Amino acid sequence: MTAAAPTKTPHETQYEAVIGLETHCQLSTNTKIFSNSSTEFGATPNTNIDPICMGLPGVLPVLNQKVLEYAVKLGLALNCQIAPYSKFDRKQYFYPDLPKNYQISQFDLPIAEHGWLEIELIDDDGNPQRKRIGVTRAHMEEDAGKLVHAGSDRLAGSTHSLVDYNRAGVPLLEIVSEPDIRSGREAAEYGQEIRRIVRYLGVCDGNMQEGSMRCDVNISIRPVGQEKFGTKVEIKNMNSFSAIARAIDYEIERQTQAIETGSETIVQETRLWDENLQCTKSMRSKEGSSDYRYFPEPDLTPLEVPAEQVQGWKAELPELPREKRHRYQEELGLSAYDTRVLTEDVDVTAYFDAALTAGADVKQAANWVMGDLTAYAKEQKLSFADLALTPETLAELIGLIADGTISGKIAKEVLPELLEKGGSAKELVESKGLIQISDEGELEAIIDKLLADNPDKVEQYRAGKTKLQGFFVGQVMKATSGRADPKLTNKLLVPKLKG
Amino acid sequence: MASIRELHQQLVSKARSARELTQETLQRIDATEPKLRSFLHLTADSAIARAEAVDAKIASGEDIGILEGIPIAIKDNMCTRGVPTTCASKILENYIPPYDATVVEKLSAAGAVSVGKTNLDEFAMGSSTENSAYQVTGNPWDTDRVPGGSSGGSAAAVAAGQCVVATGSDTGGSIRQPASFCGVVGLKPTYGLVSRYGLVAYASSLDQIGPFARTVEDAAIFLEALAGYDSKDSTSLKGDVPNYAAALESETIANLHGDKLKIGVIQETFGEGLDAEVDGAVKAALKVYEELGAEVEMVSCPTFRYGLPTYYVIAPSEASANLARYDGVRYGARAEAAENLIGMYAETRARGFGAEVKRRIAIGTYALSSGYYDAYYLKAQKVRTLICQDFKNAFAQYDVLVSPTSPTTAFKAGEKTDDPLSMYLSDLMTIPVNLAGLPSLSLPCGFDRQGLPIGLQIIGNVLQETKLLQVAQRYEQASEWHTKAPSL
């Protein structure tokens, strides 16, 4: 890979980037937005289709009520105002992947507006840096089909094109941010926060590789202190959050150099991120932007979502990532880093919370979840929701260590079996005879015998070779198959050694 | 020509079999079709098969529904599974839908026997059925004249006894104006009463399916079969369908003002451009109503005259989007020789659409363009609201409103084809009703000196189809126009 990015040079003027994101989230309903075909990804081309999504003569759209529910819930999670009166519009343009040659979308009255989300970056000292990014609007629309160019992997050079309409009519929510983002890192974090939110809500799987979440970036730069925006460039084709960050950083540098050196003029255009060459490339000029001839969709009645319905859906919202982060840090005392790890995955955070509810110690639970459990889940390619070891059992295991029933070492020993088979931690250690020996009399008898059997070592110890304490502890552990309470063992052993 | 009820009695009493009835109908079509050209496709085989199924049911002693075994026709802009649905357009030549329109499904379920698909103006755009890409339909009363449009095929077929009843669709008068021209009853229901699912869209906010029949009662029976909420149409109205035919048996009409029926005559529909004989026939009909005890008054609907320009912004705007799907990509005709995608689109549509369709797509595309939207589409929507308000005011005072259905009787084929504006004017009186979404029917109220039928338009308030039919039937019972049949 060649890094074609312009190398950074110090600039005299300080510039800042003004960045806004348009994020398309595919809502994870079973059926399409206006018809009953399946939305399943990866099916044989043109099998998940029906007269409606194919735009056959005479068909009419009927809104999938699940789409409305998901859109409102996502709008609420983005702190938006839900429009009491909203409508659909037709966005008109001809393209073979668009069956009706218009897309049913929302133009001037979107379902949700005026929201925000909070991003949290961790600075070099490990402290959380929080920032609110405005959400201009979120609107529902239908996806188009997919063109496959044959004879070449690009449109240019292809001999013919095939169309797969499986995706036509899949429900999307387009989320438009305010131009509040200032860096690639912030943009990537904004995208990740949306992904967390949609996954917490269960309204979108957030999979960027399969295209169920797509981010387009609008970016311009201006001298720090200037009010007016510079010329805006749109960047598409990033299929990971790190690609978003890299594309933006590249573009900031390209635009800064263009202005500083006058090497090129920044024009309003769409650029594509080239993952191989790590640079953006001009795709098409946006000057004289397309006229989509929007008008209200006459086949759908305006949407009036009753306030009680909105309240009902609001009541169903889970604790959201931002709320969780604040609680973990401010109430549970977890570090920003641990919080980030624990809140990234909705199943992990649910698991962690359930363990706490079952009485587990916060720090212990965090360590087990982030450590052994995550390692196991990763290795087995399991979701935390599918672990045989329940959060209650984890809490039980942690409790057994805390009350001295077993040692941490024993806990680690029984963990693989618990992870694999589940069941009660206590029953397992009992059945295996692994319960710690904390009986003073029993331990004393063992120690006394040991000292009697090794008079030479005792003598050496008393002559100053105190390192031999380790030998005796080891022998106690050996005699008890590791079940001796290590603290108590030391407490009883030392006075006897010293005589 | 027998009514639905008479035919039903004949079937039930085994005086006639459904097969005989269907065969006689098909023979009548064979005999008259060379002159009329009402049908684009005949479905003789399936009609016979359906009729035989009805006969088998009767033979086994089962009860049959009122429409079972009754020969009907379907306008060719309603989708029929396995049967061509062309909208009289080259772009849908040989297009066979994989599904039935809701009304087609309902009529099948009701046991009606469809004999074929009727001719229309291409995509229901026109007032004479001359915009059909395939054939010109003759008016049964004078085959050199047009049957009106866009549902000219259905109107002619019903008038000529090629079927008992037929479906039509009405966006600006496409049921009522041809009903008037062909001397039959045609009803455009309240917007949303009949499902539009499977009706190939022209202007979605105005399109409505309704019946053609030779009598008010037949129209009532047929409407009942067509109407009803459909979850596949978001603009469909919820609520039970009234028993329209039973309501016609009732002695009383639920009037606004006690026992007197109050009829408002729309002042703006009388005057310049109105044929004197039409004027005379309509006024004579009003006299009949007065004699029947109704109170008849002139009422002004000042925005009525804005109907036509408003319609010719809204309908083409919606049409320009609705017809965008005919691009040669997935179905229908495709121009194969094009060099690239844009060329394929352009060539397919240039060859596939007729002049009137292209004209309306161009008008609509223009009206919705950035910079023109507010001046045209948005303004038209505002005027539409005013027109609704005018009707609302009128219905606060009157039970029904009446007017001539069309300013003239049927004109000669070719007379107006080069003059779209003059053609548009024949829908002057019907268009505002669609803009307001109201129910309205046309029924025969006389003939001019050339023997051409004249239609009376009666407009009702929202969902008052029952009253509309009752009011129409009072006149029908006091007149004999409906008993006359074209000689052919």
Side-chain angles (χ1 to χ4, degrees), chain B residues 99-167:
Chain B
Y99 76 100
D100 273 332
T102 295
V103 288
V104 171
E105 214 168 58
K106 289 178 101 140
L107 292 172
S108 292
V113 174
S114 173
V115 294
K117 306 289 295 285
T118 58
N119 196 21
L120 64 151
D121 285 300
E122 183 178 7
F123 285 104
M125 297 180 191
S127 311
S128 67
T129 311
E130 291 167 289
N131 293 333
S132 166
Y134 300 100
Q135 64 204 36
V136 173
T137 296
N139 186 313
W141 298 90
D142 176 352
T143 52
D144 288 339
R145 290 178 184 269
V146 301
S150 67
S151 314
S154 285
V158 170
Q162 294 181 318
C163 59
V164 179
V165 286
T167 63

Side-chain angles (χ1 to χ4, degrees), chain B residues 389-418:
Chain B
Q389 192 57 48
D390 251 10
F391 274 115
K392 206 176 164 191
N393 294 341
F395 280 114
Q397 296 175 61
Y398 301 98
D399 291 294
V400 292
L401 301 175
V402 302
S403 77
T405 304
S406 188
T408 67
T409 54
F411 45 86
K412 288 223 157 117
E415 194 182 318
K416 297 189 178 185
T417 40
D418 295 331

Side-chain angles (χ1 to χ4, degrees), chain A residues 18-62:
Chain A
V18 177
I19 302 161
L21 261 64
E22 284 171 21
T23 310
H24 286 88
C25 296
Q26 182 182 314
L27 298 176
S28 51
T29 54
N30 295 325
T31 55
K32 293 187 176 181
I33 182 167
F34 300 122
S35 67
N36 288 328
S37 290
S38 166
T39 52
E40 194 196 341
F41 178 82
T44 308
N46 297 312
T47 52
N48 290 341
I49 57 169
D50 58 79
I52 296 171
C53 70
M54 287 295 282
L56 295 195
V59 298
L60 296 171
V62 174

